[in-house]
Amino acid sequence: MIIIIVKIVVSLFLGTLAGFAAIYIFNKMPAKWLCDYGHAPSQELKDPYIQRVKGFPWRWIYAAGFICLLIRLSFFDVRLAAAGLFACWAMLIIGLADLKYMVIPDQFVIMLALSAFGFIPYHSSVWQPLTGALIGGGVMLMVAVLGGAAFKKEVMGFGDVKLFASLGLVLGIKGTVSVLIASSLFSGIFAAVGLASGKYRKDEVRPLGPYICGCGIFYIFAVWPFLL
């Protein structure tokens, strides 16, 4: 009973800290991190007082999500909870950046890739994460190249390729394939609904990062514990 109480208390503290830190870091990170290479930041991005994401209610919503993640994973394995928090925190920042600014910051992609070390004990072999990275990055690269050749324009940024390669290191083969299918399905559904409702234009490029990160977070939260 004492161990359970300790896990819950620690989860409450770390989850709240992670939720508040996500908002603070996103609002305070250098403006150039949220720009494509070779582009200068806008005045809005450089404004030190602007809230890129409002603190209320989002810091509390994210804190609640991280608390649930930590409580759930810690009852399976404390080390898995730590790795899951690290990975999901990075994916939250990436998803927000791509949703708001159509940019995937390399700094947090690297952070996501580094979190893969915490998942190594839960893979059957070291080839699982390496193959996952090859599948995720390879499929995205193929889509980018073939889509660009077919439509004569960029259909996917290289940030999505790097993001999926890093996520593949975390999830391994099964997780990478699952997230590939799920993110493609959900992005397709939302695009179809947006086009049908007139919210999206036919030639409009929409961010894929939020779907990749959302499905990745869900996989770690809901599916991974059952694989242990």
Side-chain angles (χ1 to χ4, degrees), residues 67-114:
I67 289 169
C68 292
L69 175 76
L70 285 168
I71 290 176
R72 176 173 172 77
L73 295 185
S74 64
F75 277 87
F76 288 90
D77 192 315
V78 173
R79 294 173 302 172
L80 178 64
L85 177 63
F86 199 68
C88 292
W89 194 89
M91 282 191 281
L92 173 61
I93 300 296
I94 292 169
L96 287 173
D98 202 22
L99 179 64
K100 290 186 67 67
Y101 302 110
M102 294 284 288
V103 169
I104 295 179
D106 287 340
Q107 293 80 4
F108 296 98
V109 173
I110 293 171
M111 181 179 177
L112 178 61
L114 290 175

Side-chain angles (χ1 to χ4, degrees), residues 94-196:
I94 292 169
L96 287 173
D98 202 22
L99 179 64
K100 290 186 67 67
Y101 302 110
M102 294 284 288
V103 169
I104 295 179
D106 287 340
Q107 293 80 4
F108 296 98
V109 173
I110 293 171
M111 181 179 177
L112 178 61
L114 290 175
S115 75
F117 286 103
F119 291 88
I120 289 177
Y122 309 102
H123 292 294
S124 59
S125 72
V126 71
W127 295 110
Q128 282 281 329
L130 293 177
T131 305
L134 288 173
I135 292 174
V139 169
M140 290 292 104
L141 181 60
M142 183 175 65
V143 171
V145 172
L146 295 180
F151 296 101
K152 307 300 181 184
K153 64 177 183 179
E154 184 181 273
V155 297
M156 181 180 296
F158 194 63
D160 294 309
V161 178
K162 292 182 286 186
L163 170 58
F164 233 123
S166 295
L167 186 57
L169 286 173
V170 172
L171 301 182
I173 299 173
K174 290 182 180 179
T176 302
V177 173
S178 298
V179 172
L180 268 170
I181 295 172
S183 59
S184 299
L185 179 64
F186 281 110
S187 64
I189 291 173
F190 276 90
V193 172
L195 288 171

